[in-house]
Amino acid sequence: MTRFTGWHMTAIIIGFFGVVIAVNLVMATLAVKTFGGTVVDDSYVAGQKFNHWLDTAKRQEASGWRADITRMTSGQVRVVLYAPHGTTSQLQVTGSATHPLGRTPEQPLAFSRDGDAFVTARALPPGRWLARVTVWDARRDLARFEKDLRP
């Protein structure tokens, strides 16, 4: 039987830390290659704006405007509006779709009326998108909606 010496302990410590460093390098490389962007650019500023965002959402909910935003099987985005006074004939809808982590460029959404709904002419590429839709008439913005569209 061989004696356990300082060289054996040195080999064990070097092997242990070698494995830890190798795993950390692999994980860091994978993280950098797969992360496409940031959720918010400045979390401090986003935190300060949070209460304003909540107030805006409460005002919009109180106004009576609602929207059902869906992604059709063709990839087109469909918006059905529920106006507080029941009329959507003079309204226009615009918007954009962004990838949640910035992997692909922002996609503008141009809507045209399709019966009681508004539908985009172009389909969104496959993947997860955050759709931001603005409803407006000739005078002003009436409502803004956001929806996470998952494949």
Side-chain angles (χ1 to χ4, degrees), residues 2-121:
T2 61
R3 287 183 35 216
F4 187 78
T5 65
W7 289 109
H8 292 110
M9 190 62 200
T10 302
I12 290 171
I13 290 175
I14 290 173
F16 171 78
F17 283 107
V19 168
V20 169
I21 291 169
V23 168
N24 282 335
L25 288 174
V26 168
M27 297 299 277
T29 302
L30 291 174
V32 169
K33 286 184 178 180
T34 60
F35 185 66
T38 59
V39 177
V40 293
D41 291 328
D42 188 343
S43 58
Y44 178 74
V45 173
Q48 289 181 325
K49 292 181 180 180
F50 186 73
N51 287 335
H52 172 71
W53 294 337
L54 286 178
D55 292 341
T56 302
K58 285 178 186 175
R59 277 195 309 274
Q60 180 169 313
E61 190 171 322
S63 73
W65 284 93
R66 290 187 305 117
D68 183 21
I69 305 170
T70 56
R71 183 176 185 174
M72 299 166 32
T73 55
S74 62
Q76 295 169 292
V77 178
R78 182 173 189 261
V79 177
V80 178
L81 294 172
Y82 303 98
H85 304 296
T87 177
T88 61
S89 60
Q90 300 298 320
L91 301 178
Q92 294 185 0
V93 178
T94 60
S96 64
T98 56
H99 192 274
L101 294 177
R103 291 178 194 244
T104 57
E106 183 174 298
Q107 304 283 322
L109 299 176
F111 291 90
S112 58
R113 187 172 285 280
D114 182 25
D116 289 341
F118 295 87
V119 178
T120 59

